Amino acid sequence: MKPIYLDNNATTCCDPVVVEAMLPFFTEQFGNASSMHSFGNQVGVAIKKARGQIQALLGAEQDSEIIFTACGTESDNTAIMSALRAQPGRNQIITTVVEHPAILALCEQLEKDGYIVHKLRVDKRGRLDMDEYRALLNDRVAIVSAMWANNESGTIFPVEEMAEYAHAMGIQFHTDAVQAAGKIPIDLKRSKIDMLSLSGHKLHAPKGIGVLYLRRGTRFRPLMRGGHQERGRRPGTENSPSIVGLGVAAELAMQNFETENTDVRFLRDKLEKGILARVSHAFPTGDLNNRLPNTSSIAFEYVEGEAILLLLNKLGIAASSGSACTSGSLEPSHVMRAMGIPYTAAHGTIRFSLSRYNTLEEIERVIEAVPPIIEQLRKISPYWNESTHGPAANPEKAFSPAYA
Amino acid sequence: MLVGFALVDLHQTCRVSDKRLLHSSLKAFPGMEFNDSSHGWHVLCVGRYALAERHHAQDQLLIFTGSRFALAPINCQSVTKESVMWDYTEKVKEHFFNPRNAGPLEDANAVGDVGSIQCGDALRLMLKVEPESDKILDARFQTFGCGSAIASSSALTEMVKGKTLDEALVISNQDIAAFLDGLPPEKMHCSVMGREALQAAIANYRGDAWHDDHAEGELICKCYAIDSVLIEQVVRENKLKTVAEVTNYTKAGGACASCHEKIEEVMTRVLQAMGEEPAFAHAERPARSTVPTTYAPPAATEEQPAGKPKMTNLQRIRKIEEVIETIRPMLQRDHGDIEIVDIIGKNIYVNMQGACMGCAMESATFGGIQQKLFEELGEFVRLLPASQMEMTR
């Protein structure tokens, strides 16, 4: 049976049209865009075109505001480090507890280096408290970095509003829009967002290409020093095949924007409703009324995520989990814990993330496949009572290990 | 997965269960030759070793050679999410997809609960023991956990059935892993949980109190599962100044090296509290590497390092005693000990005692102590078990 891929927030397949557009840049169009001769010149033209396509997707004022990087992580790191280096008088960062490790791990390191990091908490639905945010803004803050949409729950943050407040205080604002781009409307010229990160492989472009949007006039310091490429803001010979591929992918994303918000959303809702109607003691996580159209994160209580994934994988279904076991750490997903999801459910959280390539038939197959898997695992769970088809009476106490 | 190996003396340890595990594990390393003769290289043990047992230790390979030994970590694959996720043996998959003896056992008279929902692993082992014979008539389990946790639980129930309690208590977590043809390094703790559940169930039956002695600290070295508590302890007690020294004492950082930064942080914290500073505090004084990367034949290192005045025999013996004394507390913590029997030329003969005796990590322990002696004495010495005195004379 054909495998079903529902892990598009992890990465997406490269669109065949994208691959086709890239191929000549490995062969006849191999020139260095910086060269004077015709080999390079044509590549330079292709890169300029791609820059325009990204500009259109993001609604940027000018194409020079688009800087090509190697990945979302590089864009995130560049943004934060630039804000700190360009404004030595400011030593504070505001971010959120549910950011991607590309931000959180960097902030952890910066704290060790003496910077002050404020992490905004989220409520049970993964939402920020705007009053808490506004109270933190002060003239020692160099940058605010908040993700546009969360990779695990799909919850959308009001980054445009947040950017307004930051701007009013003269604070730079960065957003990690790796999950949001192509799925929710972005019009940067009408916002006060100074920097934005984007990653190619999340929108059907290849891996190894990313973008940092840098608003014209924003004080900037490059992460690396070197040649004049990307106006010295990101030196290093351009990854021309991938840049061309990302340009095409951006154009496709714009064309499919409606599909993402109608067809894909329909399939996601059908999947979520279908599973929840058939499985008891399961609930969706995140802000259900304000989230990415392709993402559904369902917590299955009293079972463990990796075991679910293994059984799904056997049926050719790919999803991902917030369970500790899949990452080799002992703590479940920081996003689920931040939302106060109890351990009994956090370990059993499964994220289904769809794309425009998924079909109704696939979704129906998944809806049929999930309930028996959960039932099978609950049968052998010490937190589950098979005779009552419910959790063991007082589940946290029913199982009282000699140590915890 | 190959995490590291040690070169040790062929004559020291050879355990049947390890050999069995070895053969299945070697299939994963087609380039590695298994030589059963008494010459040349010998791969002897694959499994988890007692020294690090309390810390959810990992698979490792001990490579034995004819008559010499040295401890040598090699280039190791770092353990990544991708490589671990589906890296289960057929046997693990079999026991996960079709678990044996799953579900509650109504008339159980021995129940062991271990793990916790916080860690994402919890196991309840239920046994039906015949009081007259102490024989385990039936065994069932309930597990909340990942694929390998369920497979380990299933394997455990199959292994204990029909055994007496005393026979069952001998089952080690390596045995559980061996039953499943091995577990990925990051999943070895699942087999540990199985053994602990067995101990807890038997303690429950016998009315004994069972308590676990897990160290609770931040996990620093994921390859060898060493936490901050152990690292703090060895740094404090031995005033360790370099990451390489920490690796020699605990194995932490000996494999993929991604935790070296964290180890340095722990060391800095501990040493500063003691009013000391780590060797890496000054950039102009690079940390010396104390872990040999290859086996150096004794002849090559026999020269006296320049700058160190030669010790008298008495000074040298006292120095050796001093070094051994600093190491004893570490061994005693693992319920072992060491005593010097004789010093003949470059050979230092010792007796390993208590838990160190026959411990599968003995060879690695020897390597570590020998390394420490090299450093302190500034000369090459060989640490040998006293049992070899006859052989060498």
Side-chain angles (χ1 to χ4, degrees):
Chain A
M1 221 183 298
K2 205 172 152 262
I4 302 174
Y5 187 75
L6 297 181
D7 201 11
N8 288 281
N9 286 11
T11 193
T12 59
C13 65
C14 222
D15 192 300
V17 179
V18 170
V19 177
E20 203 182 316
M22 288 172 68
L23 289 176
F25 292 87
F26 289 104
T27 50
E28 60 261 35
Q29 302 280 351
F30 63 86
N32 187 326
S34 306
S35 304
M36 284 305 293
H37 45 67
S38 60
F39 289 93
N41 185 269
Q42 289 175 28
V43 176
V45 169
I47 289 176
K48 181 155 177 61
K49 184 182 171 197
R51 209 182 294 281
Q53 287 163 320
I54 313 288
Q55 178 198 358
L57 176 70
L58 297 178
E61 184 95 54
Q62 304 182 22
D63 71 353
S64 62
E65 293 174 329
I66 306 301
I67 303 169
F68 290 110
T69 66
C71 54
T73 297
E74 187 196 326
S75 302
D76 286 347
N77 274 256
T78 305
I80 303 234
M81 294 311 293
S82 162
L84 296 176
R85 286 191 195 152
Q87 309 168 93
R90 294 171 180 253
N91 66 344
Q92 298 184 16
I93 301 164
I94 299 176
T95 185
T96 80
V97 290
V98 296
E99 292 300 305
H100 189 272
I103 296 287
L104 286 183
L106 172 64
C107 285
E108 214 171 280
Q109 181 57 44
L110 290 169
E111 273 182 317
K112 287 175 194 160
D113 296 344
Y115 291 95
I116 298 163
V117 178
H118 306 283
K119 288 183 199 147
L120 295 168
R121 287 163 301 174
V122 296
D123 67 7
K124 283 184 172 165
R125 286 280 160 219
R127 293 171 297 209
L128 295 174
D129 178 348
M130 292 301 275
D131 292 335
E132 184 195 359
Y133 167 59
R134 292 179 67 177
L136 280 172
L137 295 170
N138 70 74
D139 61 8
R140 298 281 286 159
V141 177
I143 187 166
V144 176
S145 178
M147 63 203 329
W148 203 314
N150 186 270
N151 49 318
E152 291 191 34
S153 68
T155 302
I156 296 168
F157 284 155
V159 287
E160 286 155 315
E161 186 188 343
M162 292 171 80
E164 294 284 344
Y165 293 131
H167 182 77
M169 300 281 291
I171 300 166
Q172 291 192 4
F173 189 91
H174 165 256
T175 182
D176 178 337
V178 161
Q179 297 292 346
K183 293 175 200 145
I184 47 184
I186 296 177
D187 194 8
L188 291 174
K189 59 182 169 298
R190 291 154 72 100
S191 83
K192 293 284 189 282
I193 293 168
D194 297 300
M195 290 184 272
L196 174 146
S197 304
L198 181 147
S199 173
H201 73 100
K202 307 284 190 192
L203 43 106
H204 305 286
K207 287 138 189 79
I209 186 73
V211 160
L212 176 67
Y213 160 83
L214 176 68
R215 176 179 297 282
R216 192 181 169 86
T218 305
R219 300 193 64 206
F220 183 78
R221 297 284 180 276
L223 193 64
M224 298 191 291
R225 303 281 170 170
H228 60 91
Q229 294 89 349
E230 302 299 295
R231 304 186 175 203
R233 297 168 301 182
R234 205 285 189 177
T237 301
E238 296 87 347
N239 180 358
S240 40
S242 295
I243 289 174
V244 169
L246 179 56
V248 174
E251 199 166 313
L252 291 173
M254 286 176 76
Q255 286 166 17
N256 287 292
F257 185 82
E258 277 302 302
T259 314
E260 290 281 347
N261 284 281
T262 52
D263 298 6
V264 177
R265 182 188 296 271
F266 168 79
L267 291 179
R268 188 273 314 267
D269 290 344
K270 185 175 176 64
L271 175 73
E272 190 170 277
K273 286 193 189 108
I275 289 173
L276 292 176
R278 286 168 176 79
V279 181
S280 71
H281 299 87
F283 57 88
T285 74
D287 190 356
L288 305 186
N289 300 319
N290 186 30
R291 59 175 167 162
L292 294 174
N294 76 320
T295 308
S296 171
S297 162
I298 301 178
F300 297 98
E301 292 184 274
Y302 316 115
V303 285
E304 203 274 339
E306 194 213 90
I308 303 173
L309 292 185
L310 285 166
L311 291 170
L312 282 172
N313 185 60
K314 204 181 171 207
L315 300 175
I317 300 168
S320 70
S321 153
S323 131
C325 255
T326 53
S327 59
S329 72
L330 291 177
E331 273 284 306
S333 141
H334 69 287
V335 177
M336 295 304 142
R337 291 302 299 146
M339 292 194 288
I341 309 279
Y343 281 109
T344 44
H347 282 289
T349 310
I350 300 292
R351 177 187 68 188
F352 300 98
S353 46
L354 286 64
S355 78
R356 57 181 185 259
Y357 296 98
N358 291 118
T359 64
L360 182 61
E361 189 250 323
E362 288 180 336
I363 297 305
E364 280 167 348
R365 249 177 69 200
V366 177
I367 293 171
E368 291 306 314
V370 170
I373 287 175
I374 305 300
E375 192 182 342
Q376 179 185 339
L377 292 172
R378 280 182 180 161
K379 252 185 204 161
I380 61 172
S381 167
Y383 298 98
W384 189 256
N385 186 335
E386 193 48 26
S387 52
T388 62
H389 285 280
N394 206 349
E396 298 273 10
K397 281 186 191 155
F399 184 83
S400 50
Y403 74 93
Chain B
M1 185 175 303
L2 182 56
V3 176
F5 74 74
L7 311 178
V8 287
D9 194 293
L10 176 65
H11 304 292
Q12 284 179 19
T13 30
C14 171
R15 301 195 323 176
V16 177
S17 66
D18 293 327
K19 261 192 169 169
R20 196 177 62 224
L21 184 57
L22 163 79
H23 281 288
S24 59
S25 302
L26 271 184
K27 284 183 212 147
F29 308 112
M32 195 160 277
E33 205 174 315
F34 179 65
N35 182 350
D36 222 354
S37 78
S38 55
H39 306 288
W41 299 96
H42 295 265
V43 181
L44 211 57
C45 305
V46 177
R48 223 180 119 268
Y49 293 97
L51 188 76
E53 196 160 291
R54 288 178 296 117
H55 305 282
H56 291 180
Q58 315 292 327
D59 272 336
Q60 56 184 310
L61 218 60
L62 288 175
I63 297 188
F64 290 68
T65 171
S67 59
R68 301 169 302 197
F69 64 84
L71 186 65
I74 54 157
N75 293 334
C76 297
Q77 287 172 281
S78 91
V79 180
T80 64
K81 182 176 172 176
E82 289 75 21
S83 67
V84 166
M85 185 82 183
W86 314 105
D87 195 15
Y88 289 140
T89 64
E90 287 308 313
K91 199 95 178 269
V92 172
K93 287 184 203 162
E94 226 289 295
H95 274 265
F96 168 67
F97 290 125
N98 302 301
R100 324 289 196 272
N101 315 307
L105 181 62
E106 293 308 331
D107 48 356
N109 53 3
V111 178
D113 285 356
V114 291
S116 78
I117 196 105
Q118 282 80 4
C119 300
D121 273 327
L123 163 58
R124 170 176 292 160
L125 177 69
M126 292 151 284
L127 307 175
K128 189 179 164 191
V129 184
E130 188 179 61
E132 299 76 40
S133 61
D134 260 8
K135 206 165 177 178
I136 298 169
L137 300 177
D138 201 0
R140 295 183 76 80
F141 76 92
Q142 285 177 291
T143 294
F144 169 92
C146 58
S148 54
I150 290 169
S152 296
S153 309
S154 168
L156 175 67
T157 54
E158 287 287 279
M159 291 168 80
V160 299
K161 270 202 229 173
K163 285 200 164 68
T164 66
L165 294 183
D166 287 335
E167 286 165 355
L169 270 178
V170 181
I171 295 173
S172 68
N173 77 293
Q174 291 104 310
D175 295 332
I176 300 173
F179 185 91
L180 293 166
D181 294 339
L183 285 170
E186 293 206 342
K187 300 288 191 173
M188 281 305 283
H189 67 269
C190 295
S191 63
V192 176
M193 188 168 76
R195 197 205 48 192
E196 287 170 349
L198 184 60
Q199 290 174 337
I202 294 175
N204 168 264
Y205 175 78
R206 290 177 170 166
D208 300 337
W210 181 79
H211 57 88
D212 158 82
D213 56 353
H214 274 68
E216 291 197 12
E218 188 200 354
L219 187 64
I220 302 285
C221 170
K222 285 187 179 171
C223 295
Y224 290 117
I226 310 292
D227 69 358
S228 58
V229 172
L230 183 69
I231 296 175
E232 281 165 19
Q233 207 172 342
V234 294
V235 171
R236 193 177 306 118
E237 287 170 10
N238 304 289
K239 287 195 184 166
L240 304 185
K241 299 281 179 73
T242 69
V243 173
E245 285 173 326
V246 172
T247 306
N248 282 345
Y249 275 74
T250 66
K251 298 204 295 176
C256 79
S258 65
C259 62
H260 284 194
E261 190 178 345
K262 279 191 175 173
I263 294 176
E264 285 192 0
E265 283 169 18
V266 173
M267 291 174 76
T268 307
R269 194 168 68 222
V270 173
L271 290 171
Q272 279 175 353
M274 293 163 69
E276 301 268 338
E277 61 180 18
F280 44 80
H282 301 288
E284 71 274 14
R285 234 170 58 200
R288 62 203 163 129
S289 171
T290 51
V291 182
T293 47
T294 50
Y295 173 74
T301 48
E302 252 177 284
E303 278 175 46
Q304 190 73 237
K308 282 214 175 183
K310 197 165 166 59
M311 280 183 272
T312 66
N313 260 337
L314 187 63
Q315 283 172 330
R316 183 167 173 267
I317 291 169
R318 282 190 180 141
K319 189 76 193 166
I320 293 169
E321 281 178 333
E322 208 177 282
V323 173
I324 297 291
E325 279 306 310
T326 63
I327 283 156
R328 288 184 61 207
M330 236 179 47
L331 301 177
Q332 285 162 352
R333 213 169 37 241
D334 282 330
H335 311 292
D337 210 343
I338 188 171
E339 71 168 0
I340 306 173
V341 176
D342 206 351
I343 300 166
I344 304 165
K346 301 242 168 269
N347 293 348
I348 301 168
Y349 293 96
V350 294
N351 262 336
M352 299 302 270
Q353 296 167 332
C356 289
M357 258 183 344
C359 159
M361 270 308 288
E362 186 176 333
S363 320
T365 311
F366 263 65
I369 300 171
Q370 179 171 270
Q371 186 61 40
K372 179 110 177 125
L373 286 164
F374 291 174
E375 289 161 19
E376 295 295 333
L377 295 172
E379 60 169 322
F380 179 83
V381 288
R382 198 186 303 201
L383 193 70
L384 294 164
S387 58
Q388 289 201 7
M389 282 172 68
E390 294 311 309
M391 288 160 45
T392 40
R393 272 172 181 172

